[in-house]
Amino acid sequence: MTTVAIVSAGFMGSGLGTALLGGGARVVTTLEGRSARSRRLAEAAGLEVLPTLADAVAVADVVLSVTPPGAAVDAARAIAAAGRAAGVAGRAAGVAGRAAGVTGRAAGVTGRAAGVTGRAAGVTGRAAGVAGRAAGVAGRGEGPVVADLNAVSPETMARVARELDGLRVVDGSISGPPPSVRPGARVYLAGAGAEVVAGLPWAGMIEPVVLGDRVGAASALKMCTGSVYKGMVALITQAMRTAGAHGVLDPVLADLERNGLADTAGVAQAATKAHRYVGEMREVSATQAGAGLTPDLFAAMAAVYADIAATRLADGDPETARDLTATEIVARLAEHRTG
Protein backbone atom coordinates (compact mmCIF):
# COMPACT_ATOMS: atom_id res chain seq x y z
CA MET A 1 0.00 0.00 0.00
CA THR A 2 1.34 3.41 -0.94
CA THR A 3 1.53 5.90 1.94
CA VAL A 4 0.98 9.60 1.22
CA ALA A 5 1.60 12.33 3.79
CA ILE A 6 -0.39 15.54 3.43
CA VAL A 7 1.28 18.67 4.81
CA SER A 8 -1.32 21.29 5.72
CA ALA A 9 -4.46 19.19 5.31
CA GLY A 10 -6.89 22.08 5.00
CA PHE A 11 -9.76 22.36 2.53
CA MET A 12 -7.71 21.35 -0.52
CA GLY A 13 -5.31 19.01 1.25
CA SER A 14 -8.07 17.03 2.91
CA GLY A 15 -9.88 16.86 -0.43
CA LEU A 16 -6.80 15.34 -2.07
CA GLY A 17 -6.61 12.91 0.81
CA THR A 18 -10.20 11.88 0.19
CA ALA A 19 -9.37 11.00 -3.42
CA LEU A 20 -6.29 9.00 -2.43
CA LEU A 21 -8.15 7.10 0.27
CA GLY A 22 -10.76 6.23 -2.35
CA GLY A 23 -7.97 4.79 -4.48
CA GLY A 24 -6.70 2.60 -1.66
CA ALA A 25 -3.71 4.60 -0.40
CA ARG A 26 -2.83 5.11 3.23
CA VAL A 27 -3.05 8.86 3.87
CA VAL A 28 -1.42 10.41 6.93
CA THR A 29 -1.07 13.93 8.23
CA THR A 30 -0.17 15.74 11.42
CA LEU A 31 -2.17 18.35 13.26
CA GLU A 32 0.85 19.63 15.14
CA GLY A 33 0.40 23.41 15.33
CA ARG A 34 -2.78 23.29 13.24
CA SER A 35 -6.16 24.86 13.95
CA ALA A 36 -9.39 23.28 15.15
CA ARG A 37 -10.74 23.73 11.63
CA SER A 38 -7.86 21.69 10.20
CA ARG A 39 -8.59 18.96 12.73
CA ARG A 40 -12.24 18.94 11.71
CA LEU A 41 -11.40 18.73 8.01
CA ALA A 42 -8.78 16.00 8.45
CA GLU A 43 -11.03 13.90 10.64
CA ALA A 44 -13.99 14.35 8.31
CA ALA A 45 -11.84 13.16 5.41
CA GLY A 46 -10.73 10.10 7.39
CA LEU A 47 -7.02 10.94 7.33
CA GLU A 48 -4.74 9.10 9.74
CA VAL A 49 -3.35 11.64 12.20
CA LEU A 50 0.22 11.13 13.44
CA PRO A 51 1.82 13.08 16.30
CA THR A 52 4.49 15.01 14.37
CA LEU A 53 5.59 15.92 10.86
CA ALA A 54 8.66 13.71 11.33
CA ASP A 55 6.36 10.76 12.02
CA ALA A 56 4.39 11.47 8.83
CA VAL A 57 7.50 11.89 6.65
CA ALA A 58 9.08 8.74 8.10
CA VAL A 59 6.30 6.49 6.80
CA ALA A 60 5.56 8.33 3.55
CA ASP A 61 6.34 7.25 0.01
CA VAL A 62 5.10 10.64 -1.22
CA VAL A 63 4.66 13.94 0.63
CA LEU A 64 2.18 16.50 -0.74
CA SER A 65 2.61 20.06 0.52
CA VAL A 66 -0.56 22.14 0.18
CA THR A 67 -0.01 25.40 2.05
CA PRO A 68 -0.79 29.08 1.43
CA PRO A 69 1.79 30.57 -0.98
CA GLY A 70 3.51 32.56 1.72
CA ALA A 71 4.15 29.41 3.76
CA ALA A 72 5.62 27.27 0.97
CA VAL A 73 9.29 27.88 1.75
CA ASP A 74 8.83 27.44 5.50
CA ALA A 75 6.89 24.22 4.85
CA ALA A 76 9.71 22.91 2.66
CA ARG A 77 12.22 23.73 5.39
CA ALA A 78 10.09 21.90 7.94
CA ILE A 79 9.71 18.85 5.67
CA ALA A 80 13.47 18.72 5.15
CA ALA A 81 14.06 18.92 8.90
CA ALA A 82 11.45 16.22 9.47
CA GLY A 83 13.20 14.05 6.88
CA ARG A 84 16.51 14.45 8.66
CA ALA A 85 14.89 13.63 11.98
CA ALA A 86 13.31 10.54 10.46
CA GLY A 87 16.57 9.53 8.80
CA VAL A 88 15.14 9.47 5.27
CA ALA A 89 16.48 12.68 3.75
CA GLY A 90 19.70 11.42 2.21
CA ARG A 91 19.61 11.00 -1.54
CA ALA A 92 22.34 8.39 -1.34
CA ALA A 93 21.15 6.82 1.90
CA GLY A 94 21.74 3.19 1.13
CA VAL A 95 19.98 2.67 -2.20
CA ALA A 96 20.65 -0.82 -3.53
CA GLY A 97 19.56 -2.73 -6.57
CA ARG A 98 17.70 0.02 -8.42
CA ALA A 99 17.67 -1.96 -11.62
CA ALA A 100 15.85 -4.73 -9.79
CA GLY A 101 13.49 -2.21 -8.23
CA VAL A 102 14.83 -3.07 -4.79
CA THR A 103 15.62 -0.49 -2.17
CA GLY A 104 18.29 -1.16 0.40
CA ARG A 105 17.72 -0.12 3.97
CA ALA A 106 21.09 -0.69 5.70
CA ALA A 107 21.83 -4.38 4.97
CA GLY A 108 18.21 -5.39 4.56
CA VAL A 109 16.50 -4.90 1.23
CA THR A 110 13.00 -3.64 0.62
CA GLY A 111 11.80 -5.66 -2.31
CA ARG A 112 9.27 -3.48 -4.02
CA ALA A 113 9.35 -4.08 -7.74
CA ALA A 114 9.69 -7.84 -7.22
CA GLY A 115 6.86 -7.73 -4.71
CA VAL A 116 8.90 -10.00 -2.46
CA THR A 117 8.47 -10.18 1.26
CA GLY A 118 11.34 -12.68 1.58
CA ARG A 119 12.45 -12.48 5.20
CA ALA A 120 14.56 -15.58 4.75
CA ALA A 121 16.29 -13.80 1.91
CA GLY A 122 16.79 -10.71 4.08
CA VAL A 123 14.21 -8.77 2.13
CA THR A 124 11.61 -6.61 3.80
CA GLY A 125 8.73 -6.23 1.40
CA ARG A 126 6.72 -3.27 2.64
CA ALA A 127 3.62 -4.20 0.75
CA ALA A 128 3.88 -7.42 -1.19
CA GLY A 129 3.33 -6.87 -4.87
CA VAL A 130 3.86 -3.12 -4.85
CA ALA A 131 6.10 -2.16 -7.73
CA GLY A 132 8.98 0.25 -7.42
CA ARG A 133 9.64 3.40 -9.32
CA ALA A 134 8.00 2.25 -12.51
CA ALA A 135 4.75 1.67 -10.62
CA GLY A 136 4.94 5.02 -8.94
CA VAL A 137 6.29 4.11 -5.52
CA ALA A 138 9.20 5.98 -4.02
CA GLY A 139 12.25 4.08 -2.86
CA ARG A 140 12.73 4.28 0.90
CA GLY A 141 16.47 4.64 0.75
CA GLU A 142 16.10 7.96 -1.04
CA GLY A 143 13.34 9.16 1.20
CA PRO A 144 9.92 10.18 -0.07
CA VAL A 145 9.13 12.13 -3.20
CA VAL A 146 8.06 15.61 -2.07
CA ALA A 147 5.56 17.44 -4.26
CA ASP A 148 5.03 21.14 -3.66
CA LEU A 149 1.48 21.81 -4.87
CA ASN A 150 1.38 25.44 -3.82
CA ALA A 151 0.50 28.48 -5.93
CA VAL A 152 3.96 30.02 -6.16
CA SER A 153 6.19 31.60 -8.77
CA PRO A 154 8.99 29.64 -10.44
CA GLU A 155 11.42 31.75 -8.39
CA THR A 156 9.78 30.71 -5.12
CA MET A 157 9.64 27.12 -6.33
CA ALA A 158 13.42 27.26 -6.84
CA ARG A 159 13.78 28.30 -3.18
CA VAL A 160 11.52 25.43 -2.15
CA ALA A 161 13.70 23.00 -4.12
CA ARG A 162 16.84 24.33 -2.43
CA GLU A 163 15.29 23.79 1.00
CA LEU A 164 14.43 20.21 0.00
CA ASP A 165 17.91 19.43 -1.30
CA GLY A 166 18.59 15.73 -0.78
CA LEU A 167 14.98 14.72 -1.45
CA ARG A 168 13.31 14.13 -4.80
CA VAL A 169 11.32 17.27 -5.51
CA VAL A 170 8.28 17.63 -7.73
CA ASP A 171 6.98 21.03 -8.75
CA GLY A 172 3.19 20.88 -8.79
CA SER A 173 0.10 23.03 -9.05
CA ILE A 174 -3.63 22.45 -8.79
CA SER A 175 -6.29 23.83 -11.11
CA GLY A 176 -9.83 23.32 -9.89
CA PRO A 177 -11.69 22.81 -6.62
CA PRO A 178 -10.95 20.05 -4.09
CA PRO A 179 -12.08 16.66 -5.44
CA SER A 180 -14.31 16.30 -2.39
CA VAL A 181 -16.31 19.25 -3.76
CA ARG A 182 -16.22 18.39 -7.44
CA PRO A 183 -14.06 15.70 -9.04
CA GLY A 184 -11.95 16.57 -12.05
CA ALA A 185 -9.33 19.06 -10.87
CA ARG A 186 -6.04 18.88 -12.73
CA VAL A 187 -2.75 18.49 -10.90
CA TYR A 188 0.14 19.67 -13.05
CA LEU A 189 3.51 18.08 -12.25
CA ALA A 190 7.11 18.72 -13.28
CA GLY A 191 10.38 17.23 -12.11
CA ALA A 192 12.18 13.92 -12.04
CA GLY A 193 9.60 12.37 -9.70
CA ALA A 194 6.53 13.70 -11.50
CA GLU A 195 5.48 10.27 -12.78
CA VAL A 196 5.51 8.95 -9.21
CA VAL A 197 2.94 11.53 -8.10
CA ALA A 198 0.94 11.12 -11.31
CA GLY A 199 0.80 7.39 -10.63
CA LEU A 200 -0.79 7.72 -7.20
CA PRO A 201 -4.23 6.11 -6.86
CA TRP A 202 -6.37 9.18 -7.49
CA ALA A 203 -9.56 7.13 -7.91
CA GLY A 204 -10.53 9.06 -11.03
CA MET A 205 -11.10 12.20 -8.94
CA ILE A 206 -7.92 14.00 -10.06
CA GLU A 207 -6.47 14.33 -13.55
CA PRO A 208 -2.65 14.37 -13.28
CA VAL A 209 -0.77 16.10 -16.11
CA VAL A 210 3.00 15.68 -16.37
CA LEU A 211 4.74 18.67 -17.97
CA GLY A 212 8.24 17.23 -18.06
CA ASP A 213 11.38 17.24 -15.92
CA ARG A 214 11.91 20.99 -15.52
CA VAL A 215 11.11 22.14 -11.99
CA GLY A 216 9.29 25.48 -12.25
CA ALA A 217 7.10 24.59 -15.24
CA ALA A 218 4.05 23.63 -13.14
CA SER A 219 4.42 26.78 -11.06
CA ALA A 220 4.67 28.95 -14.16
CA LEU A 221 1.50 27.36 -15.54
CA LYS A 222 -0.37 28.04 -12.29
CA MET A 223 0.74 31.67 -12.29
CA CYS A 224 -0.73 32.06 -15.78
CA THR A 225 -4.05 30.26 -15.24
CA GLY A 226 -4.52 31.59 -11.70
CA SER A 227 -3.97 35.12 -12.92
CA VAL A 228 -6.93 34.72 -15.27
CA TYR A 229 -9.31 32.87 -12.95
CA LYS A 230 -8.67 34.87 -9.80
CA GLY A 231 -8.04 38.10 -11.65
CA MET A 232 -11.46 37.78 -13.28
CA VAL A 233 -13.13 37.23 -9.90
CA ALA A 234 -11.40 40.33 -8.55
CA LEU A 235 -12.62 42.37 -11.55
CA ILE A 236 -16.22 41.18 -11.09
CA THR A 237 -16.03 41.90 -7.35
CA GLN A 238 -14.81 45.44 -7.96
CA ALA A 239 -17.46 45.99 -10.63
CA MET A 240 -20.18 44.86 -8.21
CA ARG A 241 -18.90 47.13 -5.47
CA THR A 242 -18.75 50.09 -7.81
CA ALA A 243 -22.18 49.31 -9.27
CA GLY A 244 -23.65 49.11 -5.78
CA ALA A 245 -22.19 52.49 -4.85
CA HIS A 246 -23.75 54.04 -7.96
CA GLY A 247 -27.12 52.30 -7.68
CA VAL A 248 -26.80 50.30 -10.91
CA LEU A 249 -26.08 46.80 -9.56
CA ASP A 250 -28.97 44.98 -11.27
CA PRO A 251 -28.44 46.35 -14.78
CA VAL A 252 -24.68 45.80 -14.51
CA LEU A 253 -25.16 42.16 -13.56
CA ALA A 254 -27.76 41.74 -16.31
CA ASP A 255 -25.26 42.99 -18.86
CA LEU A 256 -22.46 40.79 -17.50
CA GLU A 257 -24.81 37.80 -17.61
CA ARG A 258 -25.18 38.25 -21.37
CA ASN A 259 -21.51 37.22 -21.60
CA GLY A 260 -21.52 34.62 -18.82
CA LEU A 261 -19.61 36.87 -16.42
CA ALA A 262 -22.11 37.47 -13.61
CA ASP A 263 -20.62 34.84 -11.29
CA THR A 264 -21.81 36.26 -7.98
CA ALA A 265 -21.54 32.87 -6.26
CA GLY A 266 -17.88 32.77 -7.22
CA VAL A 267 -17.40 36.24 -5.76
CA ALA A 268 -18.91 35.19 -2.43
CA GLN A 269 -16.89 31.96 -2.26
CA ALA A 270 -13.62 33.57 -3.28
CA ALA A 271 -13.95 36.15 -0.52
CA THR A 272 -13.48 33.45 2.12
CA LYS A 273 -10.11 32.66 0.53
CA ALA A 274 -9.12 36.26 -0.21
CA HIS A 275 -6.40 36.27 2.45
CA ARG A 276 -4.71 33.37 0.60
CA TYR A 277 -5.10 35.05 -2.76
CA VAL A 278 -3.11 38.08 -1.61
CA GLY A 279 0.06 35.99 -1.55
CA GLU A 280 -0.81 34.25 -4.81
CA MET A 281 -1.33 37.55 -6.63
CA ARG A 282 2.07 38.71 -5.40
CA GLU A 283 3.58 35.51 -6.76
CA VAL A 284 1.87 36.18 -10.11
CA SER A 285 3.27 39.70 -10.05
CA ALA A 286 6.79 38.35 -9.49
CA THR A 287 6.34 35.79 -12.27
CA GLN A 288 5.25 38.42 -14.76
CA ALA A 289 8.16 40.64 -13.74
CA GLY A 290 10.44 37.66 -14.39
CA ALA A 291 8.99 37.50 -17.90
CA GLY A 292 9.94 41.14 -18.49
CA LEU A 293 6.41 42.45 -17.92
CA THR A 294 5.15 45.07 -15.51
CA PRO A 295 4.47 43.71 -12.01
CA ASP A 296 1.96 46.48 -11.33
CA LEU A 297 -1.24 44.79 -12.53
CA PHE A 298 -1.14 41.90 -10.09
CA ALA A 299 0.40 43.93 -7.31
CA ALA A 300 -2.87 45.88 -7.60
CA MET A 301 -4.85 42.59 -7.61
CA ALA A 302 -3.11 41.67 -4.36
CA ALA A 303 -4.28 44.97 -2.89
CA VAL A 304 -7.84 44.25 -4.07
CA TYR A 305 -7.86 40.86 -2.34
CA ALA A 306 -6.34 42.32 0.81
CA ASP A 307 -9.22 44.79 0.89
CA ILE A 308 -11.80 42.03 0.29
CA ALA A 309 -10.25 39.96 3.08
CA ALA A 310 -10.97 42.82 5.48
CA THR A 311 -14.71 42.85 4.74
CA ARG A 312 -17.58 40.86 6.23
CA LEU A 313 -17.94 38.91 2.98
CA ALA A 314 -14.70 37.16 3.95
CA ASP A 315 -16.31 35.74 7.10
CA GLY A 316 -16.69 31.97 7.12
CA ASP A 317 -14.75 29.11 5.57
CA PRO A 318 -14.48 27.99 1.92
CA GLU A 319 -16.22 24.71 2.71
CA THR A 320 -19.28 26.54 4.05
CA ALA A 321 -22.12 26.80 1.53
CA ARG A 322 -23.07 30.40 0.73
CA ASP A 323 -26.39 31.39 -0.78
CA LEU A 324 -26.23 35.17 -0.92
CA THR A 325 -27.99 37.55 -3.25
CA ALA A 326 -25.98 40.12 -5.18
CA THR A 327 -27.34 42.84 -2.90
CA GLU A 328 -26.23 40.91 0.20
CA ILE A 329 -22.78 40.39 -1.30
CA VAL A 330 -22.33 44.09 -1.97
CA ALA A 331 -23.63 44.98 1.50
CA ARG A 332 -21.09 42.65 3.15
CA LEU A 333 -18.31 44.03 0.97
CA ALA A 334 -19.16 47.48 2.32
CA GLU A 335 -18.75 46.39 5.95
CA HIS A 336 -15.38 45.78 7.48
CA ARG A 337 -14.70 42.86 9.78
CA THR A 338 -14.41 43.52 13.46
CA GLY A 339 -12.06 40.69 14.37
Side-chain angles (χ1 to χ4, degrees):
M1 177 185 294
T2 303
T3 299
V4 180
I6 306 285
V7 176
S8 188
F11 189 36
M12 178 60 77
S14 293
L16 295 176
T18 297
L20 291 165
L21 285 170
R26 178 191 180 195
V27 185
V28 302
T29 191
T30 181
L31 295 172
E32 186 180 29
R34 303 290 294 167
S35 66
R37 172 176 172 258
S38 292
R39 177 175 295 279
R40 184 182 75 247
L41 289 167
E43 290 177 347
L47 309 189
E48 180 181 342
V49 178
L50 300 181
T52 68
L53 181 58
D55 293 320
V57 172
V59 300
D61 299 304
V62 175
V63 176
L64 303 180
S65 178
V66 195
T67 71
V73 175
D74 287 342
R77 189 175 298 124
I79 292 166
R84 289 191 293 271
V88 298
R91 185 177 290 276
V95 181
R98 185 169 286 181
V102 179
T103 305
R105 196 194 270 224
V109 180
T110 306
R112 286 238 171 122
V116 180
T117 324
R119 248 176 213 180
V123 179
T124 311
R126 186 159 205 211
V130 177
R133 203 181 200 101
V137 177
R140 300 293 304 157
E142 290 185 308
V145 170
V146 181
D148 181 284
L149 302 182
N150 302 306
V152 297
S153 65
E155 293 81 3
T156 298
M157 185 60 220
R159 293 175 59 200
V160 166
R162 286 195 294 271
E163 292 292 343
L164 292 169
D165 184 44
L167 291 166
R168 285 171 293 166
V169 180
V170 175
D171 169 30
S173 62
I174 305 168
S175 182
S180 51
V181 173
R182 187 176 72 247
R186 285 187 171 182
V187 174
Y188 293 94
L189 304 161
E195 294 287 355
V196 174
V197 182
L200 291 174
W202 293 110
M205 300 177 72
I206 286 289
E207 180 185 352
V209 179
V210 175
L211 299 176
D213 291 340
R214 182 171 61 85
V215 169
S219 291
L221 182 147
K222 175 67 174 182
M223 294 297 92
C224 295
T225 59
S227 70
V228 175
Y229 299 140
K230 297 178 179 71
M232 186 66 72
V233 172
L235 289 174
I236 294 171
T237 303
Q238 291 295 82
M240 288 179 65
R241 298 174 86 175
T242 306
H246 288 276
V248 291
L249 179 60
D250 289 341
V252 164
L253 289 176
D255 194 80
L256 290 175
E257 182 61 40
R258 295 171 62 229
N259 295 289
L261 295 175
D263 183 14
T264 58
V267 167
Q269 198 70 14
T272 64
K273 298 178 280 188
H275 64 289
R276 295 176 67 109
Y277 292 171
V278 174
E280 184 172 341
M281 296 300 97
R282 289 173 179 158
E283 293 289 325
V284 171
S285 177
T287 304
Q288 295 190 351
L293 306 174
T294 175
D296 294 346
L297 176 59
F298 281 88
M301 290 293 186
V304 169
Y305 275 116
D307 188 40
I308 294 169
T311 70
R312 278 195 57 230
L313 190 64
D315 290 340
D317 299 318
E319 64 271 19
T320 304
R322 315 192 91 192
D323 186 17
L324 302 173
T325 66
T327 300
E328 289 171 331
I329 289 171
V330 169
R332 294 191 186 194
L333 283 166
E335 299 177 28
H336 280 72
R337 304 171 77 175
T338 57

